[in-house]
Amino acid sequence: MGADCSLNTTSDPILTFLAPEICNTVTEPCTSVVVYGKNMIDTPSLNCYFYKLQSKLSDFKVTGPAETSPKVTYITSSQVVCDVPEAGNYLITVSNSGPPEYVISNNTDSSNWLLFIGTDRSCFTCDPAEGTCVQR
């Protein structure tokens, strides 16, 4: 619960953007990402969840179940820092109350998941807004 009791721990945060959205694995460590949004609550169950993605020509495919962040740092109700499990491309979400209840698929609403691209920028041209990454 927030300090003013206005936040519900069972409600999922609403995510708006990541920083960085694209991380160049050649020049940067790509070990953490800042997630911005609202309704994030500093509780023991606050966590970031990562779906590993595989680049397929011009888009991505989920390759397995969600992984939890090795470490989450609560900054404010609109900002958390999530450690990335390992270098790569992910769909990321944040939950106040434990693991997500659904799996991302072509038929699932993924509006509360954000795309993080950790790749060699000299080999790929990526656009997180479009959800595309094309090999050069």
Side-chain angles (χ1 to χ4, degrees):
M1 197 76 55
D4 66 353
C5 299
S6 64
L7 301 176
N8 182 342
T9 58
T10 60
S11 296
D12 287 330
I14 298 166
L15 308 182
T16 54
F17 67 97
L18 302 174
E21 290 182 309
I22 301 176
C23 187
N24 188 343
T25 57
V26 174
T27 60
E28 303 170 69
C30 303
T31 56
S32 65
V33 61
V34 181
V35 181
Y36 294 90
K38 60 183 181 178
N39 302 331
M40 295 181 224
I41 303 172
D42 189 12
T43 68
S45 58
L46 175 71
N47 212 327
C48 302
Y49 296 91
F50 294 78
Y51 270 102
K52 183 88 170 179
L53 300 173
Q54 178 182 18
S55 182
K56 301 290 266 181
L57 297 177
S58 65
D59 61 356
F60 296 99
K61 179 182 178 182
V62 173
T63 61
E67 298 177 52
T68 57
S69 180
K71 179 182 176 190
V72 178
T73 304
Y74 177 87
I75 307 296
T76 67
S77 63
S78 60
Q79 181 182 5
V80 295
V81 178
C82 306
D83 282 4
V84 178
E86 63 183 3
N89 304 321
Y90 295 95
L91 283 178
I92 301 175
T93 195
V94 176
S95 175
N96 292 318
S97 58
E101 295 181 12
Y102 58 90
V103 174
I104 295 293
S105 71
N106 291 336
N107 299 320
T108 302
D109 174 20
S110 59
S111 61
N112 211 34
W113 295 78
L114 299 173
L115 181 61
F116 173 79
I117 299 170
T119 192
D120 180 345
R121 298 278 310 266
S122 64
C123 297
F124 292 90
T125 302
C126 301
D127 182 349
E130 294 295 321
T132 61
C133 220
V134 179
Q135 190 167 2
R136 293 179 191 204

